[in-house]
């Protein structure tokens, strides 16, 4: 789905998403996307536990995944 969105909208240069460290499927999804399209990625601290409203249990921190820049080749994305 992400690859299709990138093909439809060539003006996108970066994808950003916040992901909890324990959410392995999402971690693999975004890192796999970066590898598949041969671009860079950076993972950094973003939301700390204290940023989330306290409810019955604490919310896990979330890291920021930044993927890009998206490489383009003569009006066509390299995907």
């Amino acid at each position: 789905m992400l690859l299709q969105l990138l093909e439809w909208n060539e003006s996108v240069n970066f994808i950003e998403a916040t992901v909890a460290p324990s959410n392995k499927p999402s971690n693999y999804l975004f890192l796999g996307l970066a590898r598949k399209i041969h671009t860079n990625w950076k993972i950094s601290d973003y939301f700390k536990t204290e940023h989330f409203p306290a409810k019955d249990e604490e919310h896990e921190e979330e890291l920021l995944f930044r993927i890009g820049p998206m490489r383009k080749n003569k009006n066509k994305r390299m995907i």
Side-chain angles (χ1 to χ4, degrees):
M1 181 173 74
L2 290 172
L3 291 174
Q4 188 68 50
L5 288 171
L6 290 172
E7 287 180 12
W8 287 340
N9 189 344
E10 292 188 5
S11 66
V12 173
N13 290 312
F14 291 90
I15 293 177
E16 292 185 340
T18 60
V19 180
S22 66
N23 187 341
K24 298 299 182 197
S26 289
N27 282 275
Y28 295 140
L29 172 79
F30 290 110
L31 292 177
L33 174 66
R35 289 182 183 117
K36 184 175 184 88
I37 62 176
H38 308 286
T39 195
N40 301 319
W41 70 86
K42 181 179 179 182
I43 303 169
S44 52
D45 292 336
Y46 200 70
F47 290 120
K48 300 289 183 187
T49 300
E50 59 267 16
H51 290 131
F52 295 97
K55 298 215 178 185
D56 294 337
E57 59 185 66
E58 284 189 356
H59 189 289
E60 184 178 6
E61 70 177 357
E62 293 194 11
L63 303 172
L64 178 65
F65 282 61
R66 182 174 167 89
I67 300 166
M70 303 301 155
R71 294 186 172 95
K72 299 172 182 123
N73 183 13
K74 292 185 182 178
N75 300 329
K76 187 136 174 109
R77 225 178 257 291
M78 294 180 64
I79 298 179

